Amino acid sequence: MLRLPSFADPHVHLREPGSTDKEDFYTGTCAALAGGYTALLDMPNNPVPTTTEAALEEKIGLARAKIVCDVGFNFGATPDNGSEYPRIVQRVAGLKAYFGHTHGNIIFEGLPAMLAIFLSWYPAERYPHKPIMIHAEGATVAAVIGLAALYNRRIHICHLSKKSELAVIRAAKEKGIAITCEAAPHHLFLTEQEAAPDKLGAYAKMSPALQTEEDVRALWQGLADGSIDMLATDHAPHTRAEKDSSKPPFGVPGLETTFGLMYREVAEGRAGFDLARLVELLAIAPRRVFGLPEGEGEVEIDETDKYEFSNEGLYTKCGWTPFVGMKGQGRVRRVWLRGQLVFEDGKVLAASGSAKILSFEG
Ligand code: DOR
Ligand code: ZN
Ligand code: ZN
């Protein structure tokens, strides 16, 4: 058995309110415990987006009654909601800015909108743990790094998918620009070929899209050499009916599959790094970067357990995984949160609403 600090995921879509057919605060946080996570940061792209104090308060109220692991929130940026920030800043982990096509209706492209968002958030020294979390791809990644440097804003690049994006992030870090980034498991284990209609099809459709083998190799290298700071699942469940429709939405779930996928690569010597680095990527770095409490959760893992991922027995309400048929190693047997056993052998023991809403002073 391995005993590790529990994992923390800075990037999940728990879907409540507005899309509880896909997931809700209870099912999403159960999936988190099953995956070894005890702290999550939720994203704001709900049908009524979390871009106002009222929407944030509604979300916090709903979550408080249901969560079985700790949850914090990222606020949604628009070019003109800066007047909300002084009222919400103590209650959020960061500001999420969508600068490219994806699921939801808070996407703002082009320099005027990007500039307005950058200028209305806080300078890096005011809130070093509250970055602007960026959804962007390609040249837009270089553009946001430029804005971060020019206006001294802390940025965190979400779900890095391309070798070229990693190259500019590395260069920015070498220049001393305060930037962190994450990679998601789907970009590490699947390539663009998987999105073919005779393979996973819409079940491999996400934003950013799956990339080439060369990009995948570059991401693994980035995890090993430290230029990618952390893993994030970008857990983004959608129903099968939606995925089977003529206009399938972007996104895949990930909370219950990430550790097993990653640990197998480490155990079989393909990852290019060891278990200590995996723990840094899943548990230590997200807490350090986002200022989350440390030492509150533990997970016990049967490291010898090898299995194949299937759509059976998942806690996520969507009931499927894009990794079906792939192999994993290391099963989460027990999870503790603040000394309480909250998950054991496939069963959630924590009562609905027993976990904490994370607050972010300072
Ligand atoms: O694939 C994605 N799905 N990418 C995103 O940025 C949003 C997410 C969602 O909310 O479904
Ligand atoms: Zn995104
Ligand atoms: Zn996302």
Side-chain angles (χ1 to χ4, degrees):
M1 294 291 169
L2 296 171
R3 189 115 167 196
L4 306 175
S6 61
F7 314 139
D9 191 342
H11 187 155
V12 300
H13 301 263
L14 296 176
R15 304 300 194 202
E16 191 168 354
S19 300
T20 51
D21 53 334
K22 303 175 198 278
E23 196 77 286
D24 62 48
F25 282 120
Y26 181 69
T27 58
T29 54
C30 285
L33 292 182
Y37 294 87
T38 62
L40 307 176
L41 299 181
D42 180 56
M43 286 299 178
N45 62 333
N46 300 67
V48 174
T50 319
T51 55
T52 62
E53 184 186 29
L56 179 67
E57 279 176 350
E58 184 192 0
K59 232 184 194 186
I60 290 173
L62 292 164
R64 187 165 276 133
K66 291 192 178 181
I67 54 177
V68 293
C69 79
D70 295 347
V71 176
F73 298 97
N74 290 304
F75 202 63
T78 81
D80 49 22
N81 72 342
S83 62
E84 305 278 328
Y85 299 168
R87 294 196 299 271
I88 58 84
V89 66
Q90 299 291 328
R91 285 174 279 172
V92 302
L95 181 75
K96 179 71 187 278
Y98 291 92
F99 296 142
H101 190 52
T102 185
H103 182 70
N105 57 3
I106 42 171
I107 297 152
F108 301 99
E109 290 172 294
L111 188 56
M114 292 166 70
L115 195 53
I117 288 169
F118 264 76
L119 290 177
S120 54
W121 196 241
Y122 299 88
E125 63 277 4
R126 178 70 189 85
Y127 291 111
H129 292 298
K130 295 178 195 279
I132 307 176
M133 295 187 76
I134 309 270
H135 177 112
E137 288 186 63
T140 310
V141 171
V144 295
I145 292 171
L147 293 173
L150 290 171
Y151 299 105
N152 188 33
R153 280 354 186 223
R154 254 285 285 128
I155 60 170
H156 174 84
I157 307 287
C158 296
H159 43 47
L160 206 63
S161 68
K162 299 185 192 74
K163 183 179 179 180
S164 54
E165 295 165 354
L166 182 57
V168 294
I169 289 170
R170 266 203 194 103
K173 288 185 166 186
E174 278 162 20
K175 285 248 184 313
I177 296 170
I179 175 174
T180 51
C181 65
E182 66 186 37
H186 41 271
H187 295 125
L188 295 165
F189 287 90
L190 304 171
T191 63
E192 57 194 355
Q193 271 108 38
E194 296 302 322
D198 60 331
K199 295 202 166 173
L200 288 168
Y203 291 87
K205 184 182 171 191
M206 70 286 285
S207 173
L210 297 174
Q211 307 292 330
T212 66
E213 273 172 31
E214 193 183 344
D215 292 304
V216 169
R217 272 197 301 277
L219 295 185
W220 280 97
Q221 178 61 39
L223 292 171
D225 70 20
S227 41
I228 298 176
D229 298 271
M230 66 188 76
L231 286 158
T233 64
D234 194 5
H235 179 81
H238 295 284
T239 66
R240 287 172 186 276
E242 291 164 324
K243 283 293 196 182
D244 291 336
S245 74
S246 58
K247 269 197 100 188
F250 298 105
V252 296
L255 283 167
E256 291 164 271
T257 44
T258 296
F259 179 79
L261 284 167
M262 293 300 304
Y263 184 68
R264 181 165 184 262
E265 296 306 294
V266 169
E268 297 193 353
R270 283 185 302 271
F273 51 85
D274 61 8
L275 177 62
R277 175 72 184 144
L278 182 59
V279 170
E280 164 76 17
L281 290 164
L282 286 170
I284 312 294
R287 289 187 171 92
R288 184 175 63 236
V289 167
F290 292 93
L292 306 178
E294 283 167 35
E296 296 202 337
E298 275 188 296
V299 53
E300 183 185 77
I301 286 164
D302 180 352
E303 88 256 47
T304 61
D305 197 347
K306 299 181 182 181
Y307 47 87
E308 209 169 87
F309 290 106
S310 90
N311 293 329
E312 307 301 311
L314 295 169
Y315 276 100
T316 178
K317 205 185 273 188
C318 74
W320 58 272
T321 164
F323 305 109
V324 67
M326 291 179 62
K327 291 191 165 66
Q329 182 173 339
R331 190 173 299 277
V332 175
R333 286 217 47 219
R334 295 195 181 93
V335 183
W336 292 266
L337 180 56
R338 289 178 284 278
Q340 294 287 314
L341 185 63
V342 287
F343 180 89
E344 185 173 37
D345 292 331
K347 293 219 159 42
V348 171
L349 306 178
S352 185
S354 59
K356 227 171 54 180
I357 302 287
L358 296 167
S359 66
F360 301 88
E361 275 105 60

